[in-house]
C-alpha cells in the first residue's frame, strides 16, 4: 500500500475514490456509450414478439329464473376456494382443451408452431453433437403442443378469483385470437359438464321421490294412532302437560333456592363484618340503607372536625372529648342499624326455606305422574323421529329435483365463469423494448466501470489512509474548543464574592433559611487556561474514555467553579455526546449561564411535585447540551424529597451519554444522598487551585469510598497539588 505501513490500521478514503472516478470520466463515458450502442444493435436484430391477455372471472352463475335459495347455495359452493381456482388454472392448460383450440384454429399448418420441420443450422449442429434431442423424433402433434405451451402462460391474479391467459406470437392477430379461443372452449366445456350432471340427477331422483312419499304417509299415521291410544296430550305442540308442570315447578324451586342461598350469604357477610369489626359500609345491604348512610355522613363530619381541632387543641380539651363521645354514639347507632339489617336478611332466608320445602313436596307428586307419561313417550318419540327423517329427506329430494329439472335446457346452465377482458390485437411488440434495454445496459456499464476503477484504487493502496489522522484531527478540534470554551461561559472570580451553599446542604439543617445572595457584579475578563493535564479539555477526554454514565462536580470556590463545569458540559456536547447538566447549586449560576428563561421550571419544582419530568428539561442557549435548572419552588421543601434524586439520575443515565450534576460547594454527606453506589466520577472544579482545599477534599471523598476523584483546574500549581493528592491516596 502506498503511504501506509504494513502493520498500521487504515480507513478507506472515500474522497480519493470519488476523485479517481472523476479523473477517468471520459474513459467511463466512452465505455458507457459503446455498451449502449451494442445493446441498441442487439435489440434491433431481435424478432418482435407480441403478447395479449384474456381474463376470466371464476364465480358461481345461476340461471336468470333461479330462486334466491339456489343463488345462495351456488355462492356458498367450493368455487370460492383458492384450491378450486388453482384447479381451473390446470384445466385451462389440459391437453384436451389445447388440442381442441389447435384444431379449431388449424395451428398445425403454421411454421411458427413447428420450427423443427424447417430446422436451423445451429439446431442441426447440436443434434449431431448429441447435445440436443432431435425434435423430428416426436410426432407432429406433440411438437405443435410443445410449441403452443412454450408461448402460453395461464396464472391466477393474486388476491382474486381472476385467471389470466397470456399468449406470445410473432403474429399480432394470432396473439389475440388464441387466448379468446381458449376462453370460449373453456366456457363451453364447463356448461356441458353442468348439463350432464343435471340430467343424471333428474333420472335418479324420480323413483326415489315416489317411494319416500309412501313411507312418510305411513309414518305420520302411526304417530297419530299411538298418541290417541296412550292419551299423550300436548300443551305447546312439543311437550305433555305433566312434563310442562314439572318444568315449571323445577324452575320455581331453583329460583327459590337461589334466593335462599343469596340471603344466607348476605347475612353471613354482615355477621362476619360485625364479629371482626371490619368496615361494613362496602356491603350492598348496608350501602342501600338510608339510615346508615345518614349516620355515616354524620360520622364523617365528626371525624373531620376532630382532625381539624387536633392540630390546635390538646387531646384532653373538652371540645375534643365532646366530639369523640358523639362519634362513639354514632358508631353505636350504626352497629344497631346493621343488626336490624341482619335480622331482616335472616327472615328472608327463612321464608325462602319454607317456600322451597313446599315446592319440593309438589315436585315429588308431579314426578310420579310424569314418570308414567315418560314411559309412553319413549315409543312416541321413536315414531316421530322416523316420520321426521322421512319427511326431511322427501323435501330435500323434491328441492333437488326441481333445481335439476329447471337446468335441463342448454341455455339454463351457464358456466361458473365469465370473460371479463378479451384480448385485442396489439400494436406495439412487448419484446424487445429498445429504450429500456439501452438505458439498463448504459447504467450497468457505467456502474461496472466505476466499480472497476474503485477496486483498482483500493488494491493499489491510493484510497487507503491511516486511522491516526482522524484521532489527530479530533484532538486538534478539542484543543480549539478548549481555548474558546471560556468565552461561552465566563468564570466568575472567587475572590471577593461570597460562596453560596449547595442545595444539598439544606437537608442537613432544615431550620437554616436559604438566602438569595446573587449580587450583580462585574465578571472579570477571561484568563487563558493553562495547558496542563487538569484542563477542561483533559477532563472531557477522560470522561469520554471512561464512558461514565454519571459525574458529580463539586465547586468549593463557588460560581467560578460552576462556570468551569458549564464549559465542560458544552465541550462534551460540541464533541457529539448527549450530555445534561443538573443545577444543584445554591446560587443557580449554571442556570444563569445556560438557560434562555431564568424562571424556567427545574429540579426543585420536580421534587415538590409542581412540574412534570419532561417540563424540567431545557436546551442550552449556546450548545446542544441539555439543562435541568434550579427551579422556582422552595428549596427546603424540595430537599425533603432528595432521596428521589437517585431515581431521577438513573432515568437520565439511560437516555444520555453523561449526566453531570453541579453541586456547588457541597460536602461528602450531601453527595452521598444523590447516588446509591460509589461507582461515579467526582470532579473537583478548582479554577484557582488552593492546595489546602484540594487535599482536604480528596482525603474526605476517598475516606467515604469515592476512589475516582478528578481535578479540573486551569490555574497554577496544579502539578504540585496532584503530587500531594497522590501522596494522600497512598496513605
Amino acid at each position: 500500500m502506498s503511504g501506509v505501513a504494513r502493520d498500521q490500521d487504515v480507513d478507506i478514503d472515500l474522497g480519493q475514490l470519488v476523485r479517481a472516478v472523476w479523473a477517468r470520466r471520459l474513459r467511463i463515458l466512452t465505455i458507457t456509450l459503446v455498451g449502449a450502442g451494442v445493446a441498441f444493435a442487439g435489440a434491433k436484430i431481435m424478432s418482435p414478439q407480441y403478447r395479449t391477455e384474456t381474463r376470466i372471472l371464476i364465480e358461481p352463475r345461476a340461471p336468470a329464473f333461479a330462486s334466491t335459495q339456489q343463488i345462495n347455495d351456488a355462492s356458498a359452493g367450493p368455487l370460492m376456494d383458492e384450491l378450486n381456482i388453482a384447479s381451473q388454472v390446470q384445466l385451462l392448460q389440459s391437453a384436451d382443451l389445447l388440442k381442441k383450440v389447435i384444431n379449431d384454429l388449424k395451428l398445425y399448418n403454421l411454421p411458427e408452431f413447428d420450427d423443427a420441420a424447417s430446422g436451423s443450422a445451429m439446431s442441426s449442429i447440436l443434434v449431431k453433437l448429441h447435445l440436443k434431442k432431435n425434435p423430428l423424433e416426436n410426432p407432429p402433434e406433440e411438437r405443435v403442443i410443445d410449441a403452443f405451451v412454450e408461448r402460453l402462460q395461464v396464472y391466477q391474479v393474486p388476491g382474486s378469483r381472476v385467471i389470466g391467459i397470456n399468449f406470445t406470437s410473432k403474429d399480432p392477430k394470432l396473439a389475440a385470437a388464441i387466448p379468446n379461443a381458449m376462453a370460449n372452449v373453456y366456457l363451453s366445456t364447463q356448461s356441458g359438464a353442468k348439463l350432464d350432471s343435471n340430467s343424471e340427477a333428474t333420472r335418479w331422483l324420480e323413483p326415489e321421490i315416489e317411494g319416500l312419499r309412501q313411507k312418510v304417509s305411513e309414518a305420520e299415521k302411526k304417530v297419530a294412532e299411538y298418541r290417541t291410544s296412550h292419551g299423550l296430550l300436548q300443551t305447546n305442540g312439543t311437550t305433555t302437560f305433566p312434563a310442562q308442570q314439572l318444568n315449571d315447578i323445577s324452575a320455581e324451586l331453583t329460583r327459590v333456592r337461589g334466593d335462599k342461598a343469596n340471603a344466607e350469604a348476605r347475612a353471613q357477610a354482615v355477621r362476619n363484618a360485625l364479629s371482626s369489626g371490619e368496615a361494613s359500609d362496602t356491603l350492598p345491604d348496608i350501602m342501600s340503607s338510608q339510615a346508615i348512610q345518614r349516620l355515616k355522613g354524620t360520622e364523617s363530619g365528626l371525624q373531620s372536625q376532630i382532625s381539624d381541632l387536633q392540630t390546635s387543641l390538646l387531646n384532653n380539651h373538652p371540645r375534643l372529648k365532646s366530639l369523640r363521645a358523639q362519634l362513639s354514639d354514632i358508631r353505636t347507632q350504626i352497629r344497631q342499624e346493621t343488626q336490624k339489617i341482619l335480622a331482616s336478611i335472616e327472615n328472608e332466608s327463612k321464608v325462602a326455606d319454607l317456600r322451597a320445602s313446599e315446592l319440593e313436596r309438589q315436585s315429588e307428586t308431579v314426578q310420579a305422574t310424569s314418570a308414567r307419561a315418560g314411559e309412553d313417550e319413549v315409543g312416541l318419540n321413536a315414531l316421530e323421529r322416523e316420520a321426521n327423517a322421512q319427511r326431511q329427506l322427501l323435501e330435500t329430494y323434491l328441492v333437488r329435483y326441481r333445481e335439476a329439472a329447471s337446468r335441463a335446457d342448454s341455455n339454463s346452465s351457464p358456466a361458473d365463469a365469465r370473460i371479463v377482458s378479451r384480448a385485442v390485437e396489439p400494436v406495439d411488440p412487448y419484446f424487445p423494448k429498445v429504450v429500456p434495454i439501452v438505458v439498463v445496459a448504459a447504467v450497468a456499464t457505467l456502474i461496472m466501470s466505476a466499480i472497476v476503477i474503485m477496486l483498482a484504487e483500493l488494491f493499489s493502496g491510493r484510497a487507503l489512509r491511516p486511522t491516526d489522522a482522524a484521532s489527530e484531527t479530533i484532538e486538534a478540534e478539542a484543543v480549539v474548543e478548549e481555548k474558546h470554551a471560556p468565552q461561552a461561559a465566563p468564570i466568575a472570580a472567587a475572590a471577593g464574592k461570597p460562596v453560596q451553599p449547595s442545595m444539598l446542604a439544606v437537608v442537613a439543617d432544615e431550620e437554616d433559611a436559604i438566602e438569595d445572595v446573587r449580587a450583580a457584579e462585574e465578571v472579570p475578563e477571561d484568563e487563558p487556561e493553562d495547558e496542563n493535564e487538569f484542563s477542561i479539555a483533559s477532563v472531557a477526554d477522560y470522561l469520554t474514555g471512561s464512558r461514565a454514565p454519571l459525574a458529580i462536580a463539586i465547586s468549593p470556590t463557588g460560581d467560578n467553579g460552576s462556570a468551569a463545569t458549564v464549559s465542560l458540559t458544552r465541550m462534551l456536547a460540541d464533541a457529539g455526546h448527549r450530555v445534561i447538566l443538573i443545577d444543584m447549586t445554591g446560587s443557580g449560576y449554571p442556570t444563569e449561564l445556560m438557560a434562555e428563561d431564568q424562571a424556567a421550571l427545574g429540579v426543585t419544582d420536580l421534587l415538590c411535585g409542581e412540574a412534570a419530568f419532561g417540563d424540567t428539561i431545557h436546551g442550552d442557549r449556546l450548545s446542544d447540551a441539555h439543562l435541568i435548572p434550579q427551579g422556582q419552588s422552595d428549596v427546603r421543601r424540595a430537599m425533603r424529597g432528595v432521596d428521589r434524586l437517585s431515581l431521577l439520575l438513573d432515568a437520565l443515565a439511560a437516555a444520555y451519554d453523561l449526566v453531570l450534576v453541579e453541586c456547588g460547594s457541597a460536602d461528602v454527606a450531601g453527595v452521598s444522598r444523590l447516588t446509591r453506589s460509589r461507582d461515579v466520577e467526582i470532579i473537583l472544579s478548582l479554577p484557582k487551585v488552593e492546595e489546602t482545599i484540594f487535599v482536604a477534599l480528596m482525603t474526605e471523598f476517598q475516606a467515604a469510598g469515592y476512589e475516582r476523584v478528578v481535578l479540573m483546574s486551569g490555574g497554577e500549581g496544579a502539578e504540585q497539588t496532584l503530587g500531594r493528592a497522590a501522596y494522600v491516596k497512598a496513605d
Side-chain angles (χ1 to χ4, degrees):
M1 299 181 185
S2 176
V4 180
R6 186 177 299 272
D7 57 348
Q8 188 176 12
D9 294 336
V10 295
D11 283 339
I12 297 176
D13 191 350
L14 298 179
Q16 178 61 27
L17 293 178
V18 174
R19 288 191 294 271
V21 173
W22 180 251
R24 297 167 178 82
R25 58 187 180 277
L26 295 179
R27 183 186 306 174
I28 295 175
L29 181 60
T30 302
I31 296 174
T32 302
L33 293 177
V34 171
V38 172
F40 179 80
K44 286 297 184 180
I45 295 173
M46 297 179 183
S47 300
Q49 299 286 333
Y50 297 90
R51 171 178 290 179
T52 58
E53 181 184 65
T54 298
R55 292 197 170 189
I56 300 175
L57 174 62
I58 306 298
E59 63 177 1
R61 300 182 66 193
F65 54 85
S67 63
T68 305
Q69 181 64 31
Q70 292 175 350
I71 296 175
N72 293 336
D73 293 343
S75 301
L79 289 172
M80 304 295 291
D81 186 44
E82 289 290 334
L83 295 178
N84 286 296
I85 305 299
S87 301
Q88 301 306 313
V89 172
Q90 297 300 320
L91 180 60
L92 279 165
Q93 302 178 77
S94 62
D96 293 339
L97 190 146
L98 298 182
K99 289 179 181 179
K100 184 172 180 55
V101 174
I102 292 172
N103 293 331
D104 292 344
L105 299 179
K106 299 180 181 180
L107 300 180
Y108 46 79
N109 293 329
L110 301 178
E112 181 180 355
F113 292 91
D114 196 3
D115 294 338
S118 58
S120 62
M122 180 60 67
S123 178
S124 300
I125 294 174
L126 294 177
V127 170
K128 290 180 180 180
L129 295 176
H130 299 285
L131 298 177
K132 178 181 179 182
K133 182 182 178 181
N134 189 357
L136 295 176
E137 296 178 358
N138 297 330
E141 183 181 6
E142 185 176 344
R143 294 200 301 269
V144 174
I145 292 177
D146 292 341
F148 190 94
V149 172
E150 288 179 1
R151 294 165 173 78
L152 177 66
Q153 182 184 7
V154 182
Y155 65 95
Q156 177 186 358
V157 178
S160 68
R161 291 183 285 114
V162 176
I163 297 177
I165 305 174
N166 283 341
F167 195 82
T168 305
S169 176
K170 297 178 182 179
D171 185 0
K173 295 182 179 180
L174 192 61
I178 290 178
N180 292 331
M182 289 185 63
N184 293 331
V185 172
Y186 170 75
L187 294 179
S188 62
T189 302
Q190 291 291 83
S191 179
K194 294 179 69 175
L195 286 175
D196 295 340
S197 177
N198 292 331
S199 300
E200 293 178 0
T202 303
R203 289 193 300 269
W204 183 83
L205 286 172
E206 288 178 352
E208 293 293 328
I209 290 175
E210 290 297 330
L212 282 175
R213 283 174 176 169
Q214 296 179 1
K215 293 180 180 179
V216 170
S217 178
E218 295 175 358
E220 291 179 347
K221 183 178 180 181
K222 291 180 181 180
V223 171
E225 292 177 352
Y226 189 89
R227 188 183 299 277
T228 303
S229 61
H230 291 79
L232 297 176
L233 302 177
Q234 292 181 327
T235 57
N236 55 1
T238 57
T239 59
T240 60
F241 180 78
Q244 180 66 34
Q245 187 179 12
L246 182 60
N247 290 335
D248 295 342
I249 293 175
S250 299
E252 181 65 16
L253 180 59
T254 302
R255 186 188 64 79
V256 171
R257 287 175 176 173
D259 295 343
K260 176 184 175 183
N262 184 27
E264 291 178 350
R266 289 157 51 201
Q268 185 62 34
V270 175
R271 283 194 293 269
N272 292 339
L274 291 175
S275 60
S276 60
E278 298 178 353
S280 60
D281 53 356
T282 59
L283 298 177
D285 295 297
I286 304 300
M287 293 294 294
S288 61
S289 176
Q290 297 295 332
I292 290 183
Q293 292 302 319
R294 289 193 298 271
L295 293 174
K296 283 291 184 179
T298 305
E299 180 187 15
S300 177
L302 291 175
Q303 287 180 341
S304 177
Q305 294 181 23
I306 292 174
S307 299
D308 293 339
L309 293 177
Q310 280 180 343
T311 60
S312 58
L313 301 178
L314 296 177
N315 290 333
N316 294 328
H317 193 274
R319 178 61 176 167
L320 286 176
K321 289 182 178 180
S322 175
L323 291 175
R324 290 193 184 99
Q326 295 178 26
L327 179 62
S328 177
D329 184 45
I330 291 297
R331 289 176 177 173
T332 301
Q333 294 180 27
I334 291 174
R335 188 171 183 85
Q336 291 175 354
E337 289 295 329
T338 304
Q339 291 288 350
K340 294 179 181 179
I341 293 174
L342 175 60
S344 176
I345 297 174
E346 289 176 347
N347 290 333
E348 292 180 9
S349 176
K350 293 178 181 180
V351 172
D353 188 22
L354 294 175
R355 179 62 177 160
S357 299
E358 180 63 24
L359 289 174
E360 288 175 355
R361 286 193 295 270
Q362 294 180 7
S363 177
E364 293 175 357
T365 304
V366 176
Q367 283 178 0
T369 305
S370 179
R372 291 191 298 270
E375 295 176 359
D376 297 335
E377 286 183 357
V378 173
L380 178 62
N381 291 337
L383 295 175
E384 288 180 342
R385 282 194 301 270
E386 180 66 21
N388 290 334
Q390 297 293 340
R391 188 183 304 107
Q392 291 176 1
L393 184 58
L394 175 60
E395 293 175 354
T396 303
Y397 280 8
L398 288 173
V399 172
R400 298 302 181 189
Y401 180 80
R402 285 192 293 268
E403 292 177 358
S406 64
R407 293 194 293 264
D409 187 73
S410 59
N411 297 325
S412 63
S413 298
D416 291 329
R418 61 185 177 91
I419 300 175
V420 295
S421 175
R422 286 189 175 272
V424 296
E425 182 178 344
V427 178
D428 299 325
Y430 95 97
F431 182 84
K433 299 290 186 182
V434 179
V435 175
I437 290 176
V438 173
V439 172
V440 171
V443 173
T445 306
L446 177 65
I447 293 175
M448 292 301 297
S449 301
I451 290 176
V452 170
I453 293 174
M454 290 181 182
L455 291 176
E457 290 293 313
L458 289 175
F459 286 123
S460 65
R462 291 188 295 270
L464 300 178
R465 57 183 174 84
T467 57
D468 295 338
S471 61
E472 292 175 1
T473 303
I474 296 175
E475 183 177 354
E477 293 176 355
V479 172
V480 173
E481 183 69 23
E482 178 184 354
K483 291 181 178 180
H484 291 282
Q487 298 177 3
I491 302 175
K497 183 176 182 179
V499 178
Q500 283 281 49
S502 171
M503 291 171 58
L504 299 175
V506 179
V507 181
D509 189 4
E510 294 186 357
E511 296 180 357
D512 295 339
I514 298 178
E515 300 178 358
D516 187 2
V517 293
R518 299 177 185 175
E521 57 186 37
E522 296 295 331
V523 179
E525 297 182 357
D526 298 337
E527 297 180 1
E529 190 174 303
D530 294 339
E531 297 293 336
N532 57 59
E533 55 184 321
F534 306 104
S535 65
I536 298 176
S538 300
V539 175
D541 292 339
Y542 168 75
L543 294 177
T544 302
S546 65
R547 298 181 180 276
L550 176 63
I552 299 177
I554 310 299
S555 302
T557 58
D559 289 347
N560 56 354
S562 300
T565 305
V566 172
S567 299
L568 173 63
T569 304
R570 289 172 172 170
M571 184 176 295
L572 290 171
D574 293 339
H577 301 286
R578 293 174 300 175
V579 60
I580 185 171
L581 175 66
I582 303 177
D583 186 0
M584 296 292 294
T585 63
S587 63
Y589 192 61
T591 302
E592 295 180 8
L593 296 178
M594 299 180 69
E596 293 282 354
D597 183 8
Q598 301 299 321
L601 299 176
V603 64
T604 57
D605 304 305
L606 179 62
L607 295 178
C608 291
E610 298 178 359
F613 182 71
D615 297 337
T616 60
I617 300 178
H618 308 275
D620 181 20
R621 58 189 178 90
L622 296 179
S623 70
D624 293 333
H626 286 174
L627 167 70
I628 297 182
Q630 184 186 39
Q632 304 299 317
S633 298
D634 182 63
V635 177
R636 183 185 295 106
R637 187 163 63 94
M639 288 301 100
R640 293 172 184 171
V642 70
D643 294 336
R644 298 198 302 271
L645 279 176
S646 59
L647 301 177
L648 170 65
L649 296 178
D650 292 341
L652 292 173
Y656 290 88
D657 297 333
L658 176 64
V659 179
L660 188 59
V661 183
E662 171 57 37
C663 298
S665 58
D667 55 5
V668 176
V671 172
S672 300
R673 297 185 180 95
L674 293 180
T675 59
R676 300 176 180 177
S677 64
R678 298 295 186 264
D679 188 18
V680 296
E681 300 288 347
I682 302 296
I683 301 174
L684 299 180
S685 181
L686 294 170
K688 297 294 184 179
V689 178
E690 297 182 11
E691 181 177 348
T692 304
I693 297 176
F694 175 67
V695 172
L697 289 174
M698 285 283 293
T699 305
E700 183 179 1
F701 277 99
Q702 290 176 358
Y706 294 97
E707 297 294 335
R708 294 152 65 176
V709 182
V710 182
L711 172 64
M712 183 171 66
S713 171
E716 299 177 355
E719 296 180 358
Q720 299 177 0
T721 306
L722 176 64
R724 183 67 58 86
Y727 174 76
V728 172
K729 184 175 182 180
D731 293 342

